[in-house]
Amino acid sequence: MMSVQEIINQFISGIQQTGPLEFIAVLAGIASVWFSRKEHILVYPVGLINTIIYIYLSIKGQLFGEASVNFYYSVMSVYGWVLWTKKDAHTKTLLLHITNSSKKEWIQQLAFFGAFYLLLFVLLTWLQKGFAPEAIPWADAFASASAYTGMWLMARKKTESWIWWIATNMASIPLYFVKGYVFTSVQFFILLILAIAGLIEWKKRAEKQQNIE
C-alpha cells in the first residue's frame, strides 16, 4: 500500500513526465465528453483524436483491454456520427433522441457487459502469463467492458450510457495512475464529474422528450 506522500510524489513526477501526445489526448477526451453532454455532434470528430492516440498509449503501457476499447471507440464514433446526423426524409428533423432504457434493454446491457468482461478477462489473463506480466486483468477488463457498454449506448442516445461511463471512469483513475499515466488519471477524474453532470442533464432531456411525444 502506497503512503499519501508516495502518491503525491508519483502524481507530481507523472505530471512532469506527461508527453505531448498524452496531453493532446486528454484535452480532446475532456472536450469530447463536454460535447456529448450537450448532445453536440462534435463529440465524435473530437473524440476520434482522443481514441486514436490512446490506442498507441495503451499498447505502450500494456493496457491491451483499454487499447481494444479505444479501437472500438473509434469504430463506434463513426457509427454514432452517422446515427446522430440521420434526419427524416420529409421533415428534415433528427431521427434519434435521448431516451431511457426499458427493463428489456437493461437486461441486454448487463448481458453485453458480462460477455465482454469474461472475454476480456480470459484474454488479458492469457496475455499476462505469456507476454505482459504487468497487465492487470480484472481491473482492465472491468474498465474496458463498462466502456464498451457505455459507447454502445451513447451511440443510441440512451441516458444509461452515463452510468456506464461513471463506472469506467472510477475504474480507470487508479488503473492509469499505477501505469504511470498520471495526467490521464486526472482526465478520468474530470470525466467522472462530467459523466455525473451528463447523466443529470440527459435525464432531464429524456423527460422533456417524453412530454413532447
Side-chain angles (χ1 to χ4, degrees):
M1 181 75 68
M2 296 176 68
S3 67
V4 174
Q5 188 58 50
E6 287 175 328
I7 293 174
I8 293 173
N9 290 339
Q10 184 170 335
F11 175 81
I12 294 172
S13 175
I15 291 295
Q16 291 172 339
Q17 294 173 20
T18 298
L21 276 180
E22 186 180 357
F23 185 77
I24 293 169
V26 166
L27 292 181
I30 293 172
S32 176
V33 173
W34 176 263
F35 286 128
S36 64
R37 178 190 164 194
K38 295 298 181 181
E39 201 182 352
H40 197 292
I41 195 61
L42 280 177
V43 56
Y44 291 115
V46 173
L48 280 168
I49 297 172
N50 170 274
T51 58
I52 291 170
I53 292 175
Y54 271 114
I55 290 173
Y56 167 74
L57 292 178
S58 296
I59 292 174
K60 184 180 177 183
Q62 294 190 358
L63 293 170
F64 299 107
E66 287 295 296
S68 73
V69 166
N70 281 286
F71 176 76
Y72 172 79
Y73 279 174
S74 299
V75 174
M76 289 299 290
S77 288
V78 177
Y79 173 66
W81 199 341
V82 172
L83 286 184
W84 280 37
T85 53
K86 273 190 175 181
K87 294 183 178 181
D88 185 276
H90 302 291
T91 64
K92 302 300 179 183
T93 56
L94 294 173
L95 291 173
L96 193 63
H97 302 287
I98 295 173
T99 57
N100 296 316
S101 296
S102 63
K103 289 183 179 179
K104 180 181 179 180
E105 288 172 327
W106 256 112
I107 293 172
Q108 291 173 341
Q109 293 169 32
L110 292 171
F112 186 91
F113 168 79
F116 271 102
Y117 179 83
L118 289 174
L119 175 63
L120 289 168
F121 181 79
V122 170
L123 289 174
L124 291 167
T125 300
W126 175 74
L127 284 171
Q128 182 188 42
K129 292 178 180 178
F131 308 98
E134 296 181 4
I136 311 173
W138 68 270
D140 198 358
F142 180 87
S144 302
S146 58
Y148 271 112
T149 310
M151 192 66 182
W152 171 49
L153 296 175
M154 180 69 72
R156 298 169 60 207
K157 287 193 178 181
K158 292 295 181 180
T159 58
E160 291 73 21
S161 63
W162 292 106
I163 295 175
W164 293 99
W165 288 131
I166 289 169
T168 298
N169 294 326
M170 290 180 68
S172 297
I173 291 169
L175 186 60
Y176 275 91
F177 186 85
V178 299
K179 285 294 184 177
Y181 294 122
V182 176
F183 196 46
T184 296
S185 70
V186 173
Q187 171 201 225
F188 281 112
F189 178 75
I190 296 171
L191 295 185
L192 174 60
I193 296 172
L194 289 175
I196 294 171
L199 177 61
I200 295 170
E201 188 163 337
W202 274 36
K203 277 187 172 295
K204 290 179 180 178
R205 294 193 180 201
E207 290 174 6
K208 185 177 180 180
Q209 182 62 36
Q210 279 183 327
N211 292 332
I212 293 174
E213 294 174 351

